Every structure is written in structure tokens, then in C-alpha cells.
């Protein structure tokens, strides 16, 4: 294979692969590389140090280990001939298969590596114009810097030892390449969070509410006094809040006077309070019943003026039930 063909294929691979930005590093990835190396020969071989140009392709068996196949051709590798100390222009090729272990995690950044493998070197115009073929073992180290998930630059140093000529030589080189086709980077592990559903128990409580009215009257009067209006209004608002309620307004007198008269007076007092609830505060008339009980059911002693003042009254009460939902933990 000619050098131009080798470089052409390698460069073409780089350009084609660089368009696949969706590819990532890791197991299953393929790397293509073009390189230039300086080859330092053993003095025993009477050859000048030369340059090696070529390319390689590698396949990642795991996220860290790849298997690389490379091929390169020598340039300016002159050989001192045994014939009258003439210098011959030596050329040839170098191919190798290496296992490479990468340190660090796949991704953008620096990844040092070490390598080891086997290779084959073929040189012509060596040893009286003949061809020199050598199988060798090689070991190396270096680093790659990934500018993106796909594009990297490389620097390396390699030592080689020939099994046929028993010579040890070395190379130093640089290269650029692309990495594509690997698996996407694994998402970071997130500890699963156990969701405990909180059970909420609700309890409905029925509560009874009550409003009472106690309106006092002057002696022998059925007129509602001004200071009683606020109490009557409170009862009216309660009944509006609970429209299902109804009430009975009960009128009373003290024991002074004729019982028949007192009965009529107690009825007028009950009607007076009912009229205030209906006409002034807007409670429906059919929700209020007015009843007079005369001088019966005293709540104080009619023998005293203070007791009689307490007995001259109108009473009413309204009860309602409300439901409250509470959370039981």
C-alpha cells in the first residue's frame, strides 16, 4: 500500500466520522487516527533516524481497553551500505497490532494510556541491497486529549524489540483522530426514593349552635326598647345564616294586675319582637311564631321590684347543627 493511499483513507475516515456528532465514546466505539512518528534506530543497523507516517484504526472492547491495528511507511531512512561505504535510500513499512489500556473516564478531557503488542517491519535496500524483515514486540505509553466526545489529539512514545535482529529501538510521535460509534454515556446512578403515601383520615363532627334572646320591657309596656335592638339583630342574622331554622317568640309579664290583662300584654310583647325581626331585619314571617304566656313561668321573685323587672320579658331561642371535617392523624 502506498503512503498516499494510506493517508487518503485515514483522512477521509476522519472527515466522514467528524460529521457524526451524536456518537459517543465507550464500549463499541471505533477510533481512526493519522500519525507522524520519529523512528530512532539502533546504531548496529547503520541506518539514519527516519520518519514514519501512517494511520490506525481501533475498536474499544470495553470503555477502557481498545484493540488497535496500524500501518505506516518510512521516509528518509537511509542505510549505510557495506559496499564502499555507500549510502542507500532505505524504505519500507511497519504494521502492528496493539492492545491499549486507557485511564480515566470516557468524555472530554485527558486520557493517559499504555499499550503493548506485536508488529512486523519490512525494509528494502538493507544489507547489500536486500530486504530486512523483522517481527518485534512493542510497548508504549502516552496520552490523548479529547477536545469533544469525538475529536482528539495524541502524543506517544514506543519501544520496540526485534525477535529476528535482537535490536531494541524506539519511536516518538503525535497524531489526531476521531472516536465514534460508542454507547451513550451512562446516566449517573440516582438512589431510588421510596414514596410513602400518607393516609389521611377525616372525621365529620356535628356541632350544635344556639342563640338566645332575652328582651326586657318597662311596666305595663309592649314597646321594644332601643337597647334591645342589637340583640334582636343578632338573632335575625343567625336565622339568615341557617335558613332551615325557625323559632317561637315567647312573651311574659310580672304578677302585678289582672291575669287576663297580663295574658294580652304578654302576647303584645311577643308580637312586638316578632315584628322587629320580620319588618326591620327581614326574617321570613312564616319562620317566626309569637306566643304569650302571661304571668306564668316567672324566672325571678315577683315579691320584689327587681324580680318583677326580670319577669317582664320576651324570650326566644334558635338552634342549628353544623358539620365540621377534622383530620385525624
Amino acid at each position: 500500500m502506498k503512503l498516499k493511499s494510506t493517508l487518503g483513507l485515514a483522512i477521509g475516515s476522519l472527515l466522514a466520522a467528524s460529521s457524526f456528532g451524536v456518537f459517543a465514546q465507550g464500549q463499541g466505539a471505533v477510533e481512526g487516527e493519522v500519525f507522524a512518528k520519529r523512528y530512532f534506530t539502533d546504531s548496529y543497523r547503520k541506518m539514519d533516524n527516519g520518519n514514519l507516517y501512517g494511520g490506525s484504526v481501533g475498536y474499544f472492547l470495553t470503555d477502557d481497553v481498545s484493540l488497535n491495528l496500524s500501518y505506516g511507511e518510512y521516509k528518509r531512512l537511509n542505510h549505510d551500505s557495506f559496499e564502499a561505504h555507500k549510502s542507500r535510500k532505505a524504505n519500507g513499512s511497519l504494521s502492528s497490532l496493539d492492545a491499549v489500556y486507557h485511564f480515566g473516564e470516557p468524555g472530554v478531557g485527558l486520557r493517559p494510556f499504555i499499550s503493548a503488542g506485536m508488529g512486523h517491519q519490512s525494509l528494502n535496500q538493507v544489507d547489500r541491497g536486500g530486504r530486512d524483515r523483522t517481527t518485534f514486540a512493542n510497548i508504549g505509553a502516552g496520552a490523548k486529549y479529547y477536545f469533544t466526545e469525538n475529536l482528539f489529539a495524541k502524543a506517544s512514545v514506543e519501544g520496540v524489540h526485534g525477535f529476528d535482529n535482537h535490536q531494541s529501538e524506539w519511536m516518538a510521535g503525535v497524531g489526531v483522530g476521531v472516536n465514534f460509534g460508542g454507547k451513550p454515556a451512562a446516566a449517573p446512578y440516582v438512589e431510588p426514593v421510596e414514596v410513602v403515601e400518607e393516609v389521611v383520615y377525616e372525621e365529620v363532627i356535628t356541632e350544635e349552635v344556639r342563640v338566645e334572646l332575652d328582651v326586657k320591657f318597662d311596666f305595663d309596656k309592649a314597646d321594644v326598647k332601643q337597647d334591645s335592638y342589637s340583640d334582636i339583630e343578632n338573632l335575625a342574622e343567625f336565622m339568615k345564616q341557617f335558613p332551615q331554622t325557625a323559632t317561637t317568640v315567647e312573651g311574659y309579664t310580672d304578677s302585678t294586675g289582672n291575669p287576663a290583662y297580663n295574658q294580652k300584654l304578654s302576647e303584645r310583647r311577643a308580637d312586638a319582637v316578632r315584628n322587629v325581626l320580620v319588618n326591620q331585619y327581614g326574617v321570613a314571617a312564616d319562620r317566626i311564631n309569637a306566643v304569650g304566656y302571661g304571668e306564668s313561668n316567672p324566672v325571678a321573685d315577683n315579691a320584689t321590684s327587681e324580680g318583677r323587672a326580670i319577669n317582664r320579658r320576651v324570650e326566644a331561642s334558635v338552634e342549628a347543627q353544623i358539620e365540621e371535617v377534622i383530620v385525624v392523624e
Side-chain angles (χ1 to χ4, degrees):
M1 181 182 290
K2 298 298 184 182
L3 177 61
K4 291 182 179 180
S5 299
T6 303
L7 295 178
L9 287 174
I11 294 172
S13 299
L14 292 177
L15 293 175
S18 63
S19 63
F20 296 97
V22 296
F23 296 140
Q25 301 175 33
Q27 184 179 7
V30 176
E31 280 193 347
E33 176 195 354
V34 292
F35 60 78
K37 299 180 181 180
R38 185 64 173 170
Y39 185 71
F40 298 91
T41 63
D42 190 283
S43 61
Y44 173 82
R45 298 223 274 174
K46 300 184 183 299
M47 288 190 298
D48 296 337
N49 297 331
N51 298 325
L52 179 69
Y53 302 98
S56 70
V57 61
Y59 179 79
F60 277 77
L61 304 175
T62 70
D63 287 351
D64 303 319
V65 178
S66 67
L67 199 61
N68 289 27
L69 180 64
S70 65
Y71 177 84
E73 294 185 356
Y74 292 104
K75 294 296 180 181
R76 298 181 181 177
L77 191 64
N78 296 326
H79 179 265
D80 292 333
S81 172
F82 288 104
E83 298 179 357
H85 301 288
K86 294 180 180 180
S87 178
R88 296 177 180 272
K89 182 179 180 182
N91 54 51
S93 63
L94 176 67
S95 57
S96 64
L97 179 65
D98 299 283
V100 183
Y101 182 84
H102 299 76
F103 298 91
E105 296 295 328
V108 176
L110 187 68
R111 294 202 75 185
F113 65 86
I114 55 175
S115 63
M118 301 288 291
H120 182 77
Q121 182 185 74
S122 177
L123 299 175
N124 61 15
Q125 301 295 332
V126 177
D127 194 11
R128 301 182 185 277
R131 178 172 292 274
D132 178 77
R133 294 181 176 87
T134 302
T135 300
F136 61 84
N138 68 301
I139 186 170
K144 298 176 183 176
Y145 187 84
Y146 289 86
F147 300 99
T148 68
E149 285 278 354
N150 310 111
L151 181 65
F152 68 90
K154 171 184 170 182
S156 63
V157 176
E158 300 166 71
V160 300
H161 180 79
F163 294 120
D164 300 307
N165 57 24
H166 306 290
Q167 304 303 310
S168 296
E169 299 171 329
W170 64 286
M171 295 179 289
V174 294
V176 292
V178 293
N179 178 299
F180 58 93
K183 65 181 181 181
Y189 175 76
V190 178
E191 184 73 24
V193 178
E194 182 180 358
V195 179
V196 179
E197 184 176 354
E198 182 179 358
V199 179
V200 178
Y201 297 94
E202 294 182 347
E203 182 177 342
V204 179
I205 296 179
T206 301
E207 182 180 357
E208 186 177 275
V209 290
R210 177 185 178 93
V211 173
E212 295 183 350
L213 179 65
D214 187 358
V215 178
K216 296 295 191 282
F217 287 83
D218 292 335
F219 176 73
D220 198 23
K221 300 292 184 180
D223 300 324
V224 178
K225 294 190 288 187
Q226 192 65 36
D227 59 3
S228 297
Y229 275 81
S230 61
D231 293 335
I232 299 173
E233 183 180 9
N234 288 339
L235 179 67
E237 292 299 324
F238 184 85
M239 294 184 71
K240 290 177 183 178
Q241 183 179 355
F242 298 97
Q244 75 281 8
T245 58
T247 189
T248 297
V249 178
E250 302 172 351
Y252 298 94
T253 68
D254 58 26
S255 60
T256 305
N258 185 280
Y261 178 83
N262 288 339
Q263 176 63 36
K264 294 295 184 180
L265 180 59
S266 67
E267 292 174 1
R268 292 200 307 273
R269 287 174 176 173
D271 288 336
V273 173
R274 180 180 183 273
N275 290 337
V276 172
L277 285 169
V278 173
N279 299 327
Q280 188 157 342
Y281 295 118
V283 180
D286 59 358
R287 296 174 60 193
I288 306 172
N289 186 30
V291 178
Y293 290 101
E295 58 189 59
S296 62
N297 302 324
V299 293
D301 188 359
N302 279 312
T304 66
S305 60
E306 292 82 2
R308 290 191 295 273
I310 295 174
N311 288 330
R312 297 191 294 268
R313 71 196 189 277
V314 166
E315 293 179 347
S317 66
V318 181
E319 293 181 356
Q321 289 185 339
I322 59 175
E323 292 184 349
E324 181 181 2
V325 179
I326 63 172
V327 177
V328 180
E329 297 183 355

